[in-house]
Each structure stands twice: as structure tokens, then as C-alpha cells.
Amino acid sequence: MAVRVEAIREVREPSRWIRAVRDFCRKRPLGAIGAAVVVLMLLVAVTAPWLAPYNPVTVDFGAMLAAPSAKHWLGTDAFGRDVLSRLLYGSQTALIVGFGAALIGATAGAVLGVGSAYFGGRIDLYLQRLMDIFLSFPLIILALAMVAILGNNLPNLITAITIPMIPRCALVTRSSALAIREMPYIDAARAAGFGHARIMLRHMLPNVMAPYLIMLTAFLGQAILLEASLSFLGLGVQEPTAAWGLMLRGAAVEFAEAAPWMAVFPGLAISLAVFAFNLFGDSLRDALDPKLRTL
Amino acid sequence: MTHRYRESRLILAGCLALSLALGIALTLPAMAQDKPRYGGELVFVVPSEPPSYDAHQEETFGVIHPVAPHYSLLLRVDPFDKTGTKPVGDLAESWTISKDGVTYTFKLRKGVKFHDGSEMTSRDVKASYDKIIFPPMAMKSLRKGAYAAVEAVEAPDPQTVRFRLKWPESSFLLNLASPWNWIYKADTLAKDPWWYEKNVMGTGPFKFVEHVRGSHWVGKKNPDYWDKGKPYLDGYRAIFISSSSAQVAAVRGERAMIQFRGFTPADRDSLVQALGPKITVQESAWDCVLMVAMHHEKRPFDDKRVRRALTLALDRYQGSQALSRIAIVKEVAGVQVPGTPWATPPDELAKLAGYWRDINASRAEARRLLKEAGVPEGFAFTFKNRGIPQPYEPLGIWMIDQWRQIGLNVKQEIIEASAYHPMLKRGDFEVAMDFQCGFIVEPDLDLGRFLTNSDANYGKHKDTVIDDLYVRQARAIEPEERRKHLRALEKRLLDEEVHVLYTLQWHRIIPHSSKVKGWTITPSHYLNNQLDTVWLSQ
């Protein structure tokens, strides 16, 4: 009997991941709300073709500048395109650019940071000065310069947003990796004759995962904001593609008084997405940072 | 009966007299309003600054708007002609044209003085036109090509100027009314041909006071202006504001009375809503048009069936109605601005490809042509557009949607404004937006770009028939003959070969303070800026 009770307990005991999620939600409700919004955004982006009531690029001159109604829940733009449909499809653009840029930027930054810390000496010196040069430019200015050089299509836009993120992540991961470099197990790996790549990838990178994840979530919000800013300036995604920043420019500015819904809803979407990623990122940092965890 | 009849006649006469008195009483103030009033300073916004002060070398309205009031022309476009195509004398008092059409003789006004007090003579006119047509080495003259027919400019006596042409040219007289051809002083040009780049001195209705770069330009009344009684204004102040929202705010806040280039429909509506009767709106078809260049050396645009399909897809009539609410475009037009002497009548226009009234039939034909040319459903290409909001962006969105409706999948690439022209010149495109803005509506000036050897033939078509028709229309003296050649050229350009694709004519909207009188809108924002006829009602 006792054995059976033990067995049931074992079955009912939730997995480590579920426990972690449950703890996260309980201890950090704001972060959980952020995470929920992020998950919702992901779902919306994936299901946009089924959710959107209209084709986001179809011009309908019969419905130009229509106010929100039962037919068009969030109204239409100056070309009669449904604002809700463009918002839903716009989430795809935001997340593709956001995840693309943040993932590549944070990963490249982490590899460079770990490499810089591991090799030290002149390599570290030159790499860090290079990072300092990049860091001396504001994020938006560097992205603008990149778009001007590369041209403004989607892959170039992701590249332009990625490049300014690399040095920021490299700096953070380097400081963590510097401490790890001095650990006995790294010395042991060296003594065992492991190659540089194996030591860095197998033994150092996994140990900088916490700052990496924090930077990644922080960059997601920034990348979405940067994409929207560049698109608003006409340097990002191009019409007729649905993108939140793009929805804020042109006719949305000209008709801001007569048709405020054209600017209000995409503006809200950008704010909500960035806010959600920031909340989630902050809470994740609190949860993963051992110093904060002990406080 | 007689008494009653007399009584009713008396009552009728009384009523008539009363109505007459009332009519006069009501009309008088209006008549007084129409009589020019002297005094006041006209304040207007200029969206860009003059790169130099020499109009012979410049091509931006940023020079014309603030600087033109200081100068006179040999001929000018009638400031009250809404078509902007009627030449009248400015410094020329009268003129004769020889029977063979190759000698134009102008008699100049007497007593015209430069702002330095010296007298203007035919030497000055000759020197100015020599600078334009035969510029000194290393000096650019943007419009010398427009005077290729001129063999010589002569000044046989101080009051006479003669132009001898190599061949007759029907547009020559109107071409002399070009707003860029300011008359400079011969002695000054002889000393330094570049003097006018940085200095101002003409015979115009206003004298130069100051130019503060980035801020304003000020002119004051020329008391010695040749047209006695003019100008009506004491002076003018041009304020430079590049941001369109700030321009609208300046007019709305009554810090400026007018901006001579044009506002968008949304700006117009917001100004009318805010200022009511304090604002007067003048509108006109604008001598600017966006065209689509299709690269004739790139497949499948080397096939005229594909080019024809692209134009057939556009519902210009619906586009005109809808886009005119949000963009500075409106009229459906052929190669000339509607309402001007050489414009295509609507019935004839409707016969050209892309102008059919039945859009379903038009798109069905477009699909058939694409299929016949082997272009598959969903065929993708990139449309390059210029990074300027109005009207490039709305027109780009509209066209991409129209092309989508015949099964084409078009991606738009926006090129930054300064890099756009070099891109067109390099031919680095499949399909791209092309643009033209004229200063006078005249076929010779507007159609030269479609000649095979023209620098502006970005699509790189080779068509000797177009070349021949252009020369024929340019040299036709009889209007009917010229019209016939023009229609043939237009049909070949837009219908048979579809070398380019015209979108919609721009639409010029000038909402200005109701105080501003004596200014008439024309299809060109380069015309009618001498301000001698302008006055302020308050």
C-alpha cells in the first residue's frame, strides 16, 4: 500500500519545468503577464491568416478612412485596408524582425564575449576596442547607418538591427566569462588537452546562459521598437507589407485628427509588445540572476 | 380702372427703384473689395531655400518663389490665365513674327530701370539670353537645350531684340515666357558672368532687402517699376520652412498668408475647418506627373504585351476619385495637362490602353496579354519608388494593388530621394517610378524626354517613329496639324508601344489667406511669382 502511495506521488509530482513556470508565475506576476502577452503575440502571428478578417494588402476605396464599426473593428486606413488585419499580420513582421535580430545579435555577442574573455591578451584588447567603437553610437543611429549602407529589405533590416546589439551582449557575457575562465574545471579541461572551441562551446557558453537569456529578452523589445522606428522613418519594411511602424507613417500622420484609429491601434500594439517583453525580461533577470535571487 | 392701373405702375416702379438701390448698396462693397488696395507686406512660406540666386542655372522653385519678384522677363505668362499658357509682354511691349516663322522681333518698353538706376536696353536682353543659350565655358545653363532652334540673338537698336531661328518652332514664343529667363544687366555679366549667383539686381517690382539663410528673404516695393501704379504691396517676406506640418501651422496660425507650391487634401481640409471664411482655396491641375518607366532591355518588360498589360490593369478613373482625397493627384490625363490647349479630349483619351471606361474588360485583356506573353500567374517583380511621401507613396500602394488584380506579385523598394535619379540613370531597375514637372504646359517641353537619345529616356526604348512625330509636331505651324501629330505620338507612346505608363496628373491645392487678392493659380508652381498684381484686402 505504501509503495502504491509513493508511486501515485511520483506520477502527480509536476516536472521541473512546470514547477519553474509555476514558481515564476507565483513569485513574479508582472513577468508572467508579460510572458502571457508574448505567447499571445506568438499565437496571433502564427494564426494571422486565419484570424484576420480581410487581406491586409487589399485596397478598398469604398471603405477609405472608415471609423471602427462592426464591419471593421478597428476601422480602415486611407486605402480602405482593414486596420485589424494589418495589425495581426504586422505582428508577424515585428516578431520575425524582433526574434531574428535579437537571437542573432545576442548569440553572436555571446560567442564574441566568451571568445574575448577566454583568449584575453591582444585579441581581447582589439575586440573590446572594436566593441567600444560600436557602443559609442546610439542604437538608432547605428541602425540607420546600416540600413543606408545595406538597403532596406527585410534581411537587411534584421542585419541592421542585429549589428548594434552584438557589442552590448558581448560586453555583458565577457564579464561573466572572465570569472568562469578562472574556474578550476576550465584549467582541468585545458590540462586534458581539449581544444579552444570545445572549451568555449561546451564549458564556458552554457555557464553564461543566464546573462545571455536576459540580454535576449531585453533585445526582443528593443528590436521590435527599432524595427517600428525604422519603418516609421521609411527605412524599414516597405508598403504594402503590414508592419506596425509603417502603419504609423504617411496618411496616419496626415489624417491623425480625422482618423485617429489609424495611428492609435498600431501605437498601442508597439507599446504593449515592448512593455510585455521588458516585463518578461526584467522578471527573467530577477529569476536567473543568483545575486538578486538571494536578496 | 385707369387710376388703379396707374397706382399699380407706381407700386411696381417703387419696388424696382428699391431693388436697384438695394442691389447697388450690396454690390458697392464687393466692387470696393475688387479694387486693389495699396500697402501691406505679403508673408509667404517657401518649402526650400535657393541654392544660388541665378535662375538660369537653377531648377528649384526655392529660387523662383523668393527671388522672382526682383526680376522681369522678356515675355511672361499672363498672371490671370488659369491655363498658364498665354504669353504676354513683360519687358517686351510688342512683337512680330516673320512669315517663314524664323525671325521674332521684339520692341522693348522705354524707361525701364534696373534697381541701381541704370536704364534697361536690348543689350541687357541679348546678354541674358546669350548667357542662357550660349553660356560661357564652365557655366551651366539648364535650359539651353530648349533653345536649340536659336541661331542668334541680336540687338539692332536699344529698343529692339531679334531672335533668328534655324527652323520654325511653334512653341518658341511661349518658351520665351519661361519664368527662369530673368533679364540681367549686360555690364554686370560682362564683368563677371557668375555675379548673379550671389547677388540680386533686376528690373522687377520689388527690390532686394535681405536674405537670412535658414530664416527669411525680404523684398521692398520698387518705386521706379515700369508698370506705373504697381506693385500694390509695400513689400514681401518669404519665410523658409521645410517641414510640411510647420508650413500648415504657419498658415493656420496666420503667421503666413500663402505657400505657393501646394498643400495636400488633408492639409486643405484642416485649414478650411480651422479658419473657415478666412481661408480661400484655389485648385488646378498641376503640370507634374508620375510615370512608370519599364526597362526595355529587361525581360519580360522588353515585350510590349507585358507593358500594355501593366497599363491596362490601372483603373485610373476610380483611382482619381479615391486618391484625390488623400494625395496630390486627381486628373486622368494623357501627355498634356487637362484644360490646356493641347490636352487630349476625354473621349479620345478613353480609347487609349489603360483609359478604357470598362475596367473589367481592360483587366481581362491584361490577363490575356500576360498569358500570351508567357508571364505566369503570380509573376513577381520589384517596383522601385522614390522615398518621398507625396504623391509617390500613395501612388505606389495603389499601383501595386492594381497589378495584383491581374495576377502580378509586386514588391516595392523605396530608394532614398537623392539616390533615386542616379539609380534611374544607371538603369538599375525593372519597373520604376519616373517623374516630370514642367514650368509651362507645352508639348515641346514635356515630350522631349521620350526621344530615343534623351538623357531622360530611362526605359531605354528605341523608337524612330516617336522621334519623327516629335519633330513634326514641334515644327507644325498650323494648330490642327500639330494636334494631329501630337495625338499620333501619344497613341504610339501610351497605347501601341507603351514605352511609359502615365499615372494621374498632380493636383495643385493652394489654401491661402482670404486677404490675399490678385493672385491666380496656374498649373505650374514656377509661374506667377512676380507678385506685382498681388494685393492685400486688409
Side-chain angles (χ1 to χ4, degrees):
Chain A
M1 189 67 185
V3 173
R4 275 188 65 196
V5 169
E6 275 306 306
I8 289 165
R9 265 188 198 154
E10 212 173 285
V11 169
R12 281 187 183 167
E13 191 68 34
S15 75
R16 197 175 145 220
W17 279 102
I18 292 173
R19 262 189 289 128
V21 169
R22 202 176 55 194
D23 285 354
F24 184 81
C25 293
R26 193 162 43 81
K27 288 180 184 164
R28 299 173 217 287
L30 280 177
I33 291 169
V37 174
V38 170
V39 171
L40 190 71
M41 261 185 75
L42 280 166
L43 284 174
V44 163
V46 171
T47 57
W50 296 278
L51 286 179
Y54 297 90
N55 183 335
V57 299
T58 300
V59 170
D60 178 7
F61 285 135
M64 285 168 80
L65 301 167
S69 64
K71 202 174 169 194
H72 297 282
W73 290 2
L74 303 184
T76 63
D77 69 6
F79 295 90
R81 296 176 298 189
D82 185 56
V83 170
L84 174 63
S85 304
R86 290 185 67 75
L87 267 187
L88 296 176
Y89 274 92
S91 65
Q92 290 182 340
T93 310
L95 290 178
I96 288 170
V97 176
F99 273 104
L103 209 65
I104 300 169
T107 308
V111 170
L112 278 174
V114 168
S116 185
Y118 174 75
F119 289 111
R122 285 192 172 201
I123 291 176
D124 185 39
L125 182 76
Y126 293 139
L127 265 176
Q128 289 314 305
R129 294 304 75 76
L130 186 70
M131 297 299 145
D132 287 344
I133 291 169
F134 277 105
L135 282 168
S136 64
F137 294 99
L139 209 66
I140 183 85
I141 301 293
L142 204 56
L144 276 171
M146 289 296 157
V147 169
I149 295 164
L150 301 170
N152 50 359
N153 55 38
L154 194 66
N156 289 348
L157 185 64
I158 293 174
T159 313
I161 298 173
T162 300
I163 289 172
M165 293 187 167
I166 293 172
R168 284 159 177 84
C169 189
L171 208 70
V172 175
T173 47
R174 175 182 171 269
S175 58
S176 298
L178 277 175
I180 295 164
R181 188 183 66 175
E182 306 303 327
M183 292 289 178
Y185 63 86
I186 299 294
D187 289 335
R190 274 202 198 102
F194 293 161
H196 297 312
R198 182 171 174 163
I199 295 172
M200 282 193 289
L201 297 175
R202 292 280 304 272
H203 302 286
M204 289 181 78
L205 258 183
N207 288 300
V208 295
M209 218 20 103
Y212 168 80
L213 284 175
I214 293 159
M215 293 305 284
L216 181 69
T217 48
F219 283 164
L220 272 165
Q222 279 187 30
I224 288 171
L225 198 61
L226 215 50
E227 182 273 317
S229 309
L230 290 173
S231 296
F232 176 73
L233 293 172
L235 295 166
V237 181
Q238 298 303 334
E239 286 275 11
T241 312
W244 295 343
L246 208 53
M247 290 172 76
L248 285 171
R249 70 181 254 114
V253 179
E254 278 193 55
F255 292 93
E257 285 175 36
W261 53 87
M262 282 169 63
V264 167
F265 294 116
L268 278 175
I270 295 168
S271 305
L272 189 67
V274 176
F275 188 53
F277 275 112
N278 285 350
L279 276 182
F280 180 52
D282 281 355
S283 300
L284 199 67
R285 183 198 60 201
D286 296 349
L288 295 177
D289 191 331
K291 287 175 211 152
L292 290 171
R293 205 164 34 194
T294 53
L295 286 175
Chain B
M1 185 71 187
T2 319
H3 177 70
R4 209 178 275 172
Y5 174 69
R6 199 175 287 162
E7 206 174 52
S8 57
R9 280 187 67 183
L10 271 172
I11 292 168
L12 188 69
C15 286
L16 276 171
L18 193 69
S19 329
L20 199 68
L22 263 170
I24 291 169
L26 288 171
T27 318
L28 270 176
M31 282 168 70
Q33 281 284 304
D34 290 333
K35 194 178 167 217
R37 177 182 163 272
Y38 284 91
E41 183 185 56
L42 179 78
V43 182
F44 59 94
V45 175
V46 185
S48 76
E49 285 222 42
S52 86
Y53 303 163
D54 182 3
H56 300 177
Q57 298 188 66
E58 296 300 341
E59 56 184 340
T60 165
F61 67 91
V63 177
I64 295 274
H65 290 191
V67 196
H70 303 304
Y71 290 98
S72 301
L73 307 162
L74 179 61
L75 299 179
R76 72 191 285 193
V77 170
D78 182 348
F80 300 107
D81 172 33
K82 283 194 159 192
T83 69
T85 56
K86 188 179 159 199
V88 293
D90 195 4
L91 292 177
E93 197 163 37
S94 62
W95 58 89
T96 55
I97 306 169
S98 65
K99 278 189 178 172
D100 57 5
V102 292
T103 309
Y104 287 68
T105 308
F106 296 87
K107 283 286 172 196
L108 302 182
R109 295 182 197 279
K110 287 180 182 163
V112 177
K113 286 184 175 169
F114 279 101
H115 295 162
D116 66 354
S118 59
E119 193 153 341
M120 187 280 306
T121 69
S122 58
R123 262 187 75 229
D124 304 306
V125 179
K126 177 180 159 45
S128 303
Y129 269 95
D130 279 344
K131 178 173 175 286
I132 294 164
I133 303 170
F134 316 109
M137 289 278 279
M139 174 171 279
K140 69 174 176 180
S141 169
L142 290 175
R143 281 159 288 275
K144 72 174 179 181
Y147 302 95
V150 178
E151 189 167 33
V153 185
E154 298 162 347
D157 67 61
Q159 302 309 128
T160 308
V161 176
R162 190 184 296 138
F163 289 80
R164 279 196 294 109
L165 309 190
K166 295 173 207 159
W167 55 77
E169 199 167 67
S170 49
S171 63
F172 188 67
L173 205 61
L174 193 54
N175 213 351
L176 290 181
S178 164
W180 305 98
N181 296 358
W182 298 343
I183 302 303
Y184 297 151
K185 191 172 169 177
D187 291 341
T188 309
L189 286 177
K191 279 181 208 155
D192 179 6
W194 281 270
W195 189 83
Y196 278 95
E197 281 183 4
K198 291 178 181 167
N199 299 280
V200 179
M201 212 276 290
T203 57
F206 293 91
K207 290 183 173 182
F208 174 70
V209 175
E210 68 170 353
H211 174 206
V212 178
R213 200 159 278 282
S215 172
H216 62 268
W217 183 292
V218 180
K220 68 173 182 189
K221 183 176 186 161
N222 172 13
D224 299 321
Y225 186 51
W226 63 265
D227 195 354
K228 295 300 166 206
K230 285 182 186 163
Y232 303 113
L233 300 166
D234 286 339
Y236 70 91
R237 174 179 293 262
I239 47 177
F240 301 111
I241 303 176
S242 58
S243 150
S244 54
S245 55
Q247 291 165 26
V248 177
V251 176
R252 185 186 286 154
E254 300 184 61
R255 295 191 303 282
M257 297 164 187
I258 190 166
Q259 184 260 64
F260 289 109
R261 186 175 181 273
F263 281 132
T264 65
D267 295 339
R268 171 199 57 201
D269 296 345
S270 78
L271 285 171
V272 169
Q273 198 179 17
L275 297 172
K278 285 179 169 178
I279 205 95
T280 298
V281 181
Q282 294 195 48
E283 297 193 20
S284 165
W286 199 341
D287 188 14
C288 295
V289 69
L290 296 188
M291 298 167 284
V292 176
M294 294 158 284
H295 206 300
H296 284 47
E297 292 167 4
K298 292 190 180 173
R299 292 192 68 194
F301 306 102
D302 55 341
D303 187 331
K304 70 178 170 191
R305 289 171 299 186
V306 177
R307 301 197 298 267
R308 196 174 162 87
L310 291 191
T311 194
L312 283 165
L314 305 184
D315 185 352
R316 291 174 169 85
Y317 301 103
Q318 192 210 33
S320 159
Q321 279 183 350
L323 290 170
S324 61
R325 289 173 61 194
I326 56 167
I328 52 170
V329 290
K330 191 170 186 179
E331 289 77 10
V332 178
V335 294
Q336 288 282 276
V337 177
T340 56
W342 307 104
T344 324
D347 288 346
E348 279 189 47
L349 196 63
K351 291 175 190 161
L352 300 177
Y355 294 85
W356 303 352
R357 298 279 178 184
D358 183 352
I359 189 61
N360 294 326
S362 192
R363 290 199 180 130
E365 173 66 1
R367 282 182 177 274
R368 188 191 69 76
L369 285 170
L370 287 176
K371 197 173 173 186
E372 196 180 284
V375 175
E377 177 80 18
F379 173 74
F381 68 87
T382 300
F383 168 64
K384 291 196 175 175
N385 200 355
R386 200 174 178 203
I388 292 181
Q390 280 286 355
Y392 292 83
E393 285 184 18
L395 275 175
I397 294 169
W398 171 67
M399 282 195 293
I400 288 169
D401 180 67
Q402 302 285 293
W403 288 329
R404 188 183 55 79
Q405 293 182 49
I406 58 164
L408 297 173
N409 174 18
V410 186
K411 197 182 90 180
Q412 184 172 220
E413 188 181 335
I414 303 283
I415 310 285
E416 194 243 321
S418 64
Y420 198 77
H421 200 246
M423 179 280 293
L424 280 179
K425 287 198 107 175
R426 284 197 311 274
D428 181 19
F429 65 90
E430 295 173 289
V431 178
M433 196 75 98
D434 187 6
F435 47 93
Q436 168 165 295
C437 241
F439 50 88
I440 295 178
V441 185
E442 162 53 50
D444 282 6
L445 301 176
D446 298 333
L447 302 176
R449 61 185 296 115
F450 302 121
L451 296 175
T452 300
N453 293 325
S454 164
D455 286 344
N457 174 10
Y458 301 120
K460 301 199 188 305
H461 65 257
K462 295 178 182 74
D463 194 334
T464 51
V465 177
I466 294 266
D467 300 347
D468 181 52
L469 284 168
Y470 177 83
V471 173
R472 278 169 189 264
Q473 68 78 31
R475 296 185 189 181
I477 302 292
E478 289 302 315
E480 269 317 304
E481 192 195 349
R482 189 179 193 202
R483 193 162 280 118
K484 192 182 83 184
H485 294 316
L486 266 175
R487 294 289 79 83
L489 189 155
E490 182 178 61
K491 188 168 171 55
R492 183 154 181 97
L493 184 74
L494 303 183
D495 182 289
E496 292 165 357
E497 295 296 321
V498 198
H499 291 311
V500 293
L501 187 160
Y502 271 57
T503 60
L504 296 168
Q505 196 75 40
W506 283 26
H507 190 70
R508 192 170 174 217
I509 302 169
I510 309 286
H512 62 78
S513 162
S514 296
K515 285 189 272 187
V516 177
K517 306 281 181 184
W519 182 81
T520 305
I521 194 168
T522 69
S524 166
H525 59 292
Y526 301 103
L527 291 178
N528 212 357
N529 282 92
Q530 279 174 287
L531 307 181
D532 56 327
T533 59
V534 176
W535 53 281
L536 300 175
S537 64
Q538 291 169 37

